[in-house]
């Protein structure tokens, strides 16, 4: 069953989304040449993307791939995205991190807030990662934060709204204590949940660890 525009009524493929994006570009521009690729279906009034496919592998010059606000439940192959520095997949249905090997050498920022992630296994492959936005997921174990200790360049983390954060506050702790719990484990952070980490806060966290 299809809509009048020929797209499936239940979903839009990445291939069709890229075709639609091409139609919006100025004459002479090619999707394959873009450094910033946004595949958000809402402005185009098209069904949401539910699956990443091999058509994305043509985006060899893409530095920022925007797939937020779709219904993607797993990270598909990123082979071919040899220039990728920022992967935006907030507001999807992701349950785990996978298929990141192909971009491990270039990826600097991962935006995955508002998904269904419980664990962060696989994140340790991203040795060049500097920024991780992962608020409002379902991470409940502080040990998952400790996985981030293997990322030498990580300096900004957005983590509030996860199950651990909610439970920690429900147990009678305050936001200051929560921040110290994170900073005890990640002393090199410069920004946590949108707020800069000052020297006093860092010193207090180190004194507790």
């Amino acid at each position: 069953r299809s809509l009048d525009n020929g797209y499936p009524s239940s979903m839009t493929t990445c291939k069709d989304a890229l075709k639609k994006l091409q139609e919006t570009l100025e004459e002479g521009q090619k999707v394959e040449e873009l450094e910033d690729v946004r595949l958000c279906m809402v402005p185009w009034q098209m069904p949401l993307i539910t699956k990443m496919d091999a058509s994305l592998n043509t985006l060899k010059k893409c530095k920022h791939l925007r797939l937020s606000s779709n219904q993607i439940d797993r990270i598909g192959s990123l082979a071919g995205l040899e220039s990728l520095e920022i992967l935006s997949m907030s507001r999807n249905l992701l349950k785990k991190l996978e298929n990141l090997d192909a971009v491990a050498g270039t990826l600097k920022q991962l935006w995955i807030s508002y998904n269904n992630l419980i664990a962060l296994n696989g994140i340790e492959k991203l040795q060049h990662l500097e920024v991780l936005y992962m608020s409002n997921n379902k991470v409940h174990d502080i040990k998952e934060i400790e996985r981030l200790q293997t990322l030498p360049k990580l300096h900004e983390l957005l983590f509030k709204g996860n199950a651990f954060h909610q439970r920690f506050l429900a147990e009678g702790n305050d936001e200051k204590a929560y921040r110290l719990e994170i900073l005890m484990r990640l002393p090199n952070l410069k920004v946590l949940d949108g707020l800069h980490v000052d020297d006093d806060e860092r010193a207090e966290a180190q004194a507790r660890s």
Side-chain angles (χ1 to χ4, degrees):
R1 195 163 62 93
S2 298
L3 300 177
D4 293 339
N5 60 10
Y7 294 104
S9 57
S10 59
M11 63 171 281
T12 299
T13 64
C14 289
K15 182 178 180 180
D16 286 340
L18 290 171
K19 181 180 178 181
K20 177 64 177 180
L21 177 59
Q22 179 65 60
E23 292 171 1
T24 69
L25 299 180
E26 296 180 5
E27 188 174 352
Q29 282 188 306
K30 294 182 179 180
V31 167
E32 293 80 6
E33 302 290 324
L34 297 179
E35 293 188 355
D36 192 327
V37 176
R38 181 178 183 180
L39 300 180
C40 181
M41 300 300 99
V42 177
W44 296 335
Q45 296 183 324
M46 293 167 61
L48 302 180
I49 297 170
T50 61
K51 182 181 179 182
M52 297 168 67
D53 60 44
S55 63
L56 296 174
N57 300 345
T58 62
L59 305 175
K60 297 188 181 301
K61 294 189 176 181
C62 178
K63 293 183 177 181
H64 190 169
L65 177 59
R66 304 172 188 262
L67 288 165
S68 297
S69 300
N70 281 292
Q71 292 185 327
I72 300 168
D73 62 1
R74 63 184 302 248
I75 300 173
S77 174
L78 296 169
L81 280 85
E82 53 197 40
S83 303
L84 194 66
E85 296 182 1
I86 307 175
L87 178 60
S88 304
M89 296 194 68
S90 300
R91 298 184 185 279
N92 275 285
L93 304 172
L94 301 178
K95 296 178 181 178
K96 63 179 180 178
L97 299 178
E98 57 189 324
N99 291 320
L100 294 172
D101 306 63
V103 295
T106 58
L107 199 68
K108 295 180 179 180
Q109 299 190 27
L110 182 59
W111 303 1
I112 47 174
S113 294
Y114 292 94
N115 275 285
N116 297 318
L117 295 167
I118 296 175
L120 295 175
N121 43 311
I123 195 87
E124 61 277 355
K125 297 173 182 177
L126 303 179
Q127 289 293 297
H128 297 279
L129 198 68
E130 300 174 2
V131 175
L132 177 59
Y133 296 151
M134 55 163 299
S135 69
N136 299 91
N137 274 279
K138 298 181 178 180
V139 176
H140 57 81
D141 193 336
I142 192 66
K143 290 182 179 179
E144 295 303 318
I145 284 293
E146 294 173 0
R147 293 182 187 273
L148 304 180
Q149 293 171 348
T150 63
L151 306 179
K153 299 181 180 180
L154 186 71
H155 63 78
E156 181 171 355
L157 173 65
L158 183 62
F159 186 71
K160 63 184 180 181
N162 273 278
F164 170 79
H165 176 227
Q166 295 169 342
R167 187 183 73 244
F168 192 76
L169 297 181
E171 290 172 351
N173 301 291
D174 59 14
E175 287 286 348
K176 177 182 177 181
Y178 151 73
R179 288 177 63 84
L180 292 175
E181 283 290 318
I182 302 296
L183 293 172
M184 283 167 56
R185 293 163 172 82
L186 301 173
N188 295 327
L189 288 182
K190 296 179 180 178
V191 180
L192 173 58
D193 292 338
L195 298 175
H196 283 275
V197 179
D198 61 33
D199 292 340
D200 291 342
E201 188 176 33
R202 194 185 313 280
E204 185 174 354
Q206 290 176 342
R208 291 192 180 194
S209 60

